[in-house]
Amino acid sequence: MNVPDENAGEGQPSVASDADPRFADALRELGLDEVIGRVRRFPDTARTTAEAAAAIGCEPGQICKSLFFAADGAPVLVLLDGSAHVGMELVRRELGAAKLTRAGALLVRESTGYGPGAVPPFGHRTKIRVLVDRSLFGHDTVWTSAGTPLTVFPMDPESLTAHAGGTLVDVREP
């Protein structure tokens, strides 16, 4: 829900958003102010891809999963279609890593500034390698995290990949 923000400073948009404030700042820095007004908040019950898709009124594949891994200890974010499953061996090979594991909450928070389940595709605390699975390109628009577990925003896959500095890959399990 967007409401006027009486505390907005000069030069700041006059609309408050459900997006995490740090993520809203990242959107502004990227010149994506208009995205702030498109952020949607889920009901507290939208914990699965199917529930999120139902709440938005889209297909589960239009929900962009943000999966966080450690490749030889280095953080990696993988973005893929909500109906897909990531092939960890495919990710490991794509990165040329000896070892790939799911990242722990501490690595996620230290690298991105966001908690697990709330990582947006860009606007992170540190530079992170981002892999974007081609499965997202089967949709005109995908919905991805706006920095909290219950907020998302829409974006076309091409723009999402560009703003995330992502590398296009095939890491979806067959």
Side-chain angles (χ1 to χ4, degrees):
M1 177 163 102
N2 294 323
V3 295
D5 183 357
E6 296 173 13
N7 298 318
E10 195 155 318
Q12 292 292 319
S14 61
V15 174
S17 173
D18 286 326
D20 178 273
R22 290 168 295 151
F23 185 63
D25 287 344
L27 289 169
R28 286 184 198 100
E29 288 174 21
L30 289 168
L32 297 171
D33 301 55
E34 77 282 356
V35 172
I36 296 168
R38 292 191 295 231
V39 171
R40 281 201 173 150
R41 182 172 179 76
F42 291 135
D44 290 339
T45 57
R47 298 287 180 190
T48 66
T49 298
E51 290 171 342
I56 291 170
C58 69
E59 298 174 23
Q62 289 179 272
I63 302 297
C64 176
K65 288 182 185 176
S66 298
L67 305 175
F68 214 80
F69 297 96
D72 296 333
V76 177
L77 178 62
V78 176
L79 305 174
L80 78 158
D81 169 324
S83 63
H85 295 284
V86 70
M88 288 189 61
E89 180 59 18
L90 295 171
V91 173
R92 188 196 66 72
R93 276 190 264 149
E94 182 66 41
L95 297 168
K99 183 178 180 182
L100 182 76
T101 59
R102 295 267 184 187
L106 183 61
L107 180 61
V108 172
R109 205 172 286 284
E110 285 177 347
S111 302
T112 68
Y114 302 94
V119 177
F122 45 81
H124 305 140
R125 178 179 289 156
T126 62
K127 178 100 172 102
I128 295 170
R129 182 137 185 218
V130 178
L131 302 180
V132 180
D133 188 76
R134 280 184 172 75
S135 61
L136 287 178
F137 284 74
H139 310 284
D140 293 334
T141 301
V142 294
W143 293 82
T144 189
S145 177
T148 76
L150 295 175
T151 57
V152 292
F153 68 96
M155 186 169 275
D156 68 273
E158 294 84 6
S159 297
L160 181 71
T161 302
H163 291 298
T167 302
L168 201 55
V169 296
D170 290 306
V171 293
R172 178 183 189 150
E173 275 188 351

